[in-house]
PDB file of all heavy atoms in Angstrom:
ATOM      1  N   GLY Q  98      -7.914  23.342   1.682  1.00 96.00           N
ATOM      2  CA  GLY Q  98      -7.280  23.831   0.426  1.00 96.00           C
ATOM      3  C   GLY Q  98      -5.786  23.593   0.396  1.00 96.00           C
ATOM      4  O   GLY Q  98      -5.167  23.698  -0.684  1.00 96.00           O
ATOM      5  N   GLU Q  99      -5.138  23.300   1.532  1.00 97.00           N
ATOM      6  CA  GLU Q  99      -3.695  23.050   1.548  1.00 97.00           C
ATOM      7  C   GLU Q  99      -3.316  21.573   1.391  1.00 97.00           C
ATOM      8  O   GLU Q  99      -2.199  21.220   1.359  1.00 97.00           O
ATOM      9  CB  GLU Q  99      -3.140  23.608   2.859  1.00 97.00           C
ATOM     10  CG  GLU Q  99      -3.323  25.073   3.104  1.00 97.00           C
ATOM     11  CD  GLU Q  99      -2.627  25.917   2.067  1.00 97.00           C
ATOM     12  OE1 GLU Q  99      -1.631  25.460   1.451  1.00 97.00           O
ATOM     13  OE2 GLU Q  99      -3.052  27.067   1.870  1.00 97.00           O
ATOM     14  N   LEU Q 100      -4.363  20.674   1.366  1.00 97.00           N
ATOM     15  CA  LEU Q 100      -4.115  19.284   1.307  1.00 97.00           C
ATOM     16  C   LEU Q 100      -4.338  18.769  -0.155  1.00 97.00           C
ATOM     17  O   LEU Q 100      -5.188  19.274  -0.923  1.00 97.00           O
ATOM     18  CB  LEU Q 100      -5.184  18.499   2.215  1.00 97.00           C
ATOM     19  CG  LEU Q 100      -4.978  18.721   3.730  1.00 97.00           C
ATOM     20  CD1 LEU Q 100      -6.175  18.139   4.410  1.00 97.00           C
ATOM     21  CD2 LEU Q 100      -3.668  18.047   4.229  1.00 97.00           C
ATOM     22  N   ALA Q 101      -3.548  17.795  -0.500  1.00 96.00           N
ATOM     23  CA  ALA Q 101      -3.775  17.089  -1.786  1.00 96.00           C
ATOM     24  C   ALA Q 101      -4.855  16.069  -1.564  1.00 96.00           C
ATOM     25  O   ALA Q 101      -5.342  15.870  -0.441  1.00 96.00           O
ATOM     26  CB  ALA Q 101      -2.475  16.380  -2.191  1.00 96.00           C
ATOM     27  N   GLN Q 102      -5.260  15.414  -2.635  1.00 96.00           N
ATOM     28  CA  GLN Q 102      -6.262  14.315  -2.503  1.00 96.00           C
ATOM     29  C   GLN Q 102      -5.681  13.128  -1.783  1.00 96.00           C
ATOM     30  O   GLN Q 102      -4.406  13.002  -1.715  1.00 96.00           O
ATOM     31  CB  GLN Q 102      -6.706  13.864  -3.922  1.00 96.00           C
ATOM     32  CG  GLN Q 102      -7.638  14.902  -4.596  1.00 96.00           C
ATOM     33  CD  GLN Q 102      -8.897  15.119  -3.801  1.00 96.00           C
ATOM     34  OE1 GLN Q 102      -9.633  14.196  -3.430  1.00 96.00           O
ATOM     35  NE2 GLN Q 102      -9.216  16.424  -3.557  1.00 96.00           N
ATOM     36  N   GLY Q 103      -6.469  12.284  -1.239  1.00 96.00           N
ATOM     37  CA  GLY Q 103      -6.022  11.108  -0.567  1.00 96.00           C
ATOM     38  C   GLY Q 103      -6.051  11.329   0.970  1.00 96.00           C
ATOM     39  O   GLY Q 103      -6.339  12.338   1.442  1.00 96.00           O
ATOM     40  N   PRO Q 104      -5.763  10.211   1.689  1.00 97.00           N
ATOM     41  CA  PRO Q 104      -5.862  10.235   3.172  1.00 97.00           C
ATOM     42  C   PRO Q 104      -4.780  11.121   3.773  1.00 97.00           C
ATOM     43  O   PRO Q 104      -3.720  11.402   3.135  1.00 97.00           O
ATOM     44  CB  PRO Q 104      -5.689   8.770   3.537  1.00 97.00           C
ATOM     45  CG  PRO Q 104      -4.913   8.153   2.440  1.00 97.00           C
ATOM     46  CD  PRO Q 104      -5.369   8.930   1.203  1.00 97.00           C
ATOM     47  N   PHE Q 105      -5.023  11.560   4.968  1.00 98.00           N
ATOM     48  CA  PHE Q 105      -4.023  12.381   5.678  1.00 98.00           C
ATOM     49  C   PHE Q 105      -4.100  12.159   7.190  1.00 98.00           C
ATOM     50  O   PHE Q 105      -5.184  11.854   7.688  1.00 98.00           O
ATOM     51  CB  PHE Q 105      -4.305  13.902   5.371  1.00 98.00           C
ATOM     52  CG  PHE Q 105      -5.659  14.394   5.769  1.00 98.00           C
ATOM     53  CD1 PHE Q 105      -5.821  15.014   7.006  1.00 98.00           C
ATOM     54  CD2 PHE Q 105      -6.707  14.280   4.938  1.00 98.00           C
ATOM     55  CE1 PHE Q 105      -7.111  15.485   7.377  1.00 98.00           C
ATOM     56  CE2 PHE Q 105      -7.976  14.718   5.295  1.00 98.00           C
ATOM     57  CZ  PHE Q 105      -8.207  15.323   6.537  1.00 98.00           C
ATOM     58  N   PHE Q 106      -2.938  12.261   7.833  1.00 98.00           N
ATOM     59  CA  PHE Q 106      -2.964  12.244   9.267  1.00 98.00           C
ATOM     60  C   PHE Q 106      -3.328  13.599   9.797  1.00 98.00           C
ATOM     61  O   PHE Q 106      -3.090  14.636   9.154  1.00 98.00           O
ATOM     62  CB  PHE Q 106      -1.494  11.959   9.784  1.00 98.00           C
ATOM     63  CG  PHE Q 106      -1.012  10.590   9.558  1.00 98.00           C
ATOM     64  CD1 PHE Q 106       0.033  10.321   8.694  1.00 98.00           C
ATOM     65  CD2 PHE Q 106      -1.582   9.508  10.238  1.00 98.00           C
ATOM     66  CE1 PHE Q 106       0.532   9.050   8.532  1.00 98.00           C
ATOM     67  CE2 PHE Q 106      -1.156   8.217  10.001  1.00 98.00           C
ATOM     68  CZ  PHE Q 106      -0.129   7.957   9.141  1.00 98.00           C
ATOM     69  N   ALA Q 107      -4.031  13.648  10.936  1.00 98.00           N
ATOM     70  CA  ALA Q 107      -4.338  14.896  11.591  1.00 98.00           C
ATOM     71  C   ALA Q 107      -3.944  14.719  13.093  1.00 98.00           C
ATOM     72  O   ALA Q 107      -4.319  13.688  13.694  1.00 98.00           O
ATOM     73  CB  ALA Q 107      -5.794  15.239  11.449  1.00 98.00           C
ATOM     74  N   LEU Q 108      -3.211  15.646  13.679  1.00 97.00           N
ATOM     75  CA  LEU Q 108      -2.795  15.517  15.009  1.00 97.00           C
ATOM     76  C   LEU Q 108      -3.188  16.734  15.831  1.00 97.00           C
ATOM     77  O   LEU Q 108      -3.083  17.879  15.339  1.00 97.00           O
ATOM     78  CB  LEU Q 108      -1.206  15.429  15.034  1.00 97.00           C
ATOM     79  CG  LEU Q 108      -0.510  14.136  14.605  1.00 97.00           C
ATOM     80  CD1 LEU Q 108      -0.637  13.932  13.079  1.00 97.00           C
ATOM     81  CD2 LEU Q 108       0.965  14.176  15.047  1.00 97.00           C
ATOM     82  N   ASN Q 109      -3.497  16.503  17.119  1.00 95.00           N
ATOM     83  CA  ASN Q 109      -3.655  17.604  18.058  1.00 95.00           C
ATOM     84  C   ASN Q 109      -2.290  18.104  18.401  1.00 95.00           C
ATOM     85  O   ASN Q 109      -1.377  17.287  18.781  1.00 95.00           O
ATOM     86  CB  ASN Q 109      -4.392  17.199  19.260  1.00 95.00           C
ATOM     87  CG  ASN Q 109      -5.885  16.904  19.035  1.00 95.00           C
ATOM     88  OD1 ASN Q 109      -6.475  17.483  18.055  1.00 95.00           O
ATOM     89  ND2 ASN Q 109      -6.490  16.053  19.852  1.00 95.00           N
ATOM     90  N   GLY Q 110      -2.093  19.424  18.435  1.00 93.00           N
ATOM     91  CA  GLY Q 110      -0.740  19.960  18.721  1.00 93.00           C
ATOM     92  C   GLY Q 110      -0.398  19.903  20.157  1.00 93.00           C
ATOM     93  O   GLY Q 110       0.710  20.330  20.545  1.00 93.00           O
ATOM     94  N   ASP Q 111      -1.327  19.482  21.023  1.00 89.00           N
ATOM     95  CA  ASP Q 111      -0.956  19.458  22.454  1.00 89.00           C
ATOM     96  C   ASP Q 111      -0.783  18.088  23.031  1.00 89.00           C
ATOM     97  O   ASP Q 111      -0.769  17.881  24.256  1.00 89.00           O
ATOM     98  CB  ASP Q 111      -2.002  20.220  23.316  1.00 89.00           C
ATOM     99  CG  ASP Q 111      -3.379  19.595  23.106  1.00 89.00           C
ATOM    100  OD1 ASP Q 111      -3.570  18.658  22.379  1.00 89.00           O
ATOM    101  OD2 ASP Q 111      -4.286  20.165  23.787  1.00 89.00           O
ATOM    102  N   THR Q 112      -0.617  17.116  22.139  1.00 90.00           N
ATOM    103  CA  THR Q 112      -0.318  15.721  22.612  1.00 90.00           C
ATOM    104  C   THR Q 112       0.992  15.239  22.033  1.00 90.00           C
ATOM    105  O   THR Q 112       1.353  15.669  20.882  1.00 90.00           O
ATOM    106  CB  THR Q 112      -1.431  14.725  22.190  1.00 90.00           C
ATOM    107  OG1 THR Q 112      -1.612  14.761  20.770  1.00 90.00           O
ATOM    108  CG2 THR Q 112      -2.709  15.030  22.925  1.00 90.00           C
ATOM    109  N   LEU Q 113       1.731  14.495  22.688  1.00 91.00           N
ATOM    110  CA  LEU Q 113       2.993  13.926  22.277  1.00 91.00           C
ATOM    111  C   LEU Q 113       3.099  12.444  22.519  1.00 91.00           C
ATOM    112  O   LEU Q 113       3.083  12.085  23.716  1.00 91.00           O
ATOM    113  CB  LEU Q 113       4.121  14.699  22.883  1.00 91.00           C
ATOM    114  CG  LEU Q 113       5.577  14.373  22.382  1.00 91.00           C
ATOM    115  CD1 LEU Q 113       5.633  14.684  20.836  1.00 91.00           C
ATOM    116  CD2 LEU Q 113       6.632  15.170  23.100  1.00 91.00           C
ATOM    117  N   ILE Q 114       3.131  11.689  21.465  1.00 92.00           N
ATOM    118  CA  ILE Q 114       3.209  10.207  21.613  1.00 92.00           C
ATOM    119  C   ILE Q 114       4.395   9.809  20.824  1.00 92.00           C
ATOM    120  O   ILE Q 114       4.325   9.605  19.617  1.00 92.00           O
ATOM    121  CB  ILE Q 114       1.926   9.540  21.089  1.00 92.00           C
ATOM    122  CG1 ILE Q 114       0.642  10.164  21.727  1.00 92.00           C
ATOM    123  CG2 ILE Q 114       1.967   8.020  21.330  1.00 92.00           C
ATOM    124  CD1 ILE Q 114      -0.639   9.600  21.242  1.00 92.00           C
ATOM    125  N   PRO Q 115       5.549   9.691  21.450  1.00 88.00           N
ATOM    126  CA  PRO Q 115       6.864   9.697  20.720  1.00 88.00           C
ATOM    127  C   PRO Q 115       7.081   8.390  19.930  1.00 88.00           C
ATOM    128  O   PRO Q 115       7.907   8.404  19.045  1.00 88.00           O
ATOM    129  CB  PRO Q 115       7.911   9.825  21.801  1.00 88.00           C
ATOM    130  CG  PRO Q 115       7.205   9.409  23.095  1.00 88.00           C
ATOM    131  CD  PRO Q 115       5.756   9.767  22.886  1.00 88.00           C
ATOM    132  N   ASP Q 116       6.419   7.326  20.219  1.00 91.00           N
ATOM    133  CA  ASP Q 116       6.772   5.982  19.605  1.00 91.00           C
ATOM    134  C   ASP Q 116       5.571   5.420  18.797  1.00 91.00           C
ATOM    135  O   ASP Q 116       5.438   4.227  18.732  1.00 91.00           O
ATOM    136  CB  ASP Q 116       7.255   5.045  20.620  1.00 91.00           C
ATOM    137  CG  ASP Q 116       6.300   4.762  21.757  1.00 91.00           C
ATOM    138  OD1 ASP Q 116       5.295   5.571  21.888  1.00 91.00           O
ATOM    139  OD2 ASP Q 116       6.483   3.826  22.515  1.00 91.00           O
ATOM    140  N   VAL Q 117       4.781   6.283  18.248  1.00 94.00           N
ATOM    141  CA  VAL Q 117       3.663   5.778  17.381  1.00 94.00           C
ATOM    142  C   VAL Q 117       4.241   5.085  16.159  1.00 94.00           C
ATOM    143  O   VAL Q 117       5.169   5.526  15.499  1.00 94.00           O
ATOM    144  CB  VAL Q 117       2.831   6.978  16.905  1.00 94.00           C
ATOM    145  CG1 VAL Q 117       1.701   6.501  15.911  1.00 94.00           C
ATOM    146  CG2 VAL Q 117       2.139   7.669  18.107  1.00 94.00           C
ATOM    147  N   ASP Q 118       3.675   3.898  15.884  1.00 95.00           N
ATOM    148  CA  ASP Q 118       4.048   3.157  14.639  1.00 95.00           C
ATOM    149  C   ASP Q 118       3.057   3.619  13.593  1.00 95.00           C
ATOM    150  O   ASP Q 118       2.025   2.988  13.364  1.00 95.00           O
ATOM    151  CB  ASP Q 118       3.928   1.659  14.900  1.00 95.00           C
ATOM    152  CG  ASP Q 118       4.483   0.845  13.757  1.00 95.00           C
ATOM    153  OD1 ASP Q 118       4.509   1.361  12.615  1.00 95.00           O
ATOM    154  OD2 ASP Q 118       4.855  -0.352  13.956  1.00 95.00           O
ATOM    155  N   TYR Q 119       3.437   4.701  12.882  1.00 96.00           N
ATOM    156  CA  TYR Q 119       2.561   5.266  11.864  1.00 96.00           C
ATOM    157  C   TYR Q 119       2.308   4.225  10.661  1.00 96.00           C
ATOM    158  O   TYR Q 119       1.265   4.246  10.136  1.00 96.00           O
ATOM    159  CB  TYR Q 119       3.141   6.538  11.353  1.00 96.00           C
ATOM    160  CG  TYR Q 119       2.898   7.718  12.279  1.00 96.00           C
ATOM    161  CD1 TYR Q 119       3.909   8.137  13.121  1.00 96.00           C
ATOM    162  CD2 TYR Q 119       1.739   8.432  12.292  1.00 96.00           C
ATOM    163  CE1 TYR Q 119       3.782   9.174  13.974  1.00 96.00           C
ATOM    164  CE2 TYR Q 119       1.510   9.468  13.132  1.00 96.00           C
ATOM    165  CZ  TYR Q 119       2.607   9.901  14.000  1.00 96.00           C
ATOM    166  OH  TYR Q 119       2.375  10.910  14.835  1.00 96.00           O
TER     167      TYR Q 119
END
Side-chain angles (χ1 to χ4, degrees):
E99 301 296 337
L100 293 167
Q102 288 300 307
F105 59 95
F106 290 113
L108 286 70
N109 288 336
D111 59 359
T112 57
L113 187 59
I114 309 178
D116 56 347
V117 173
D118 188 337
Y119 283 98

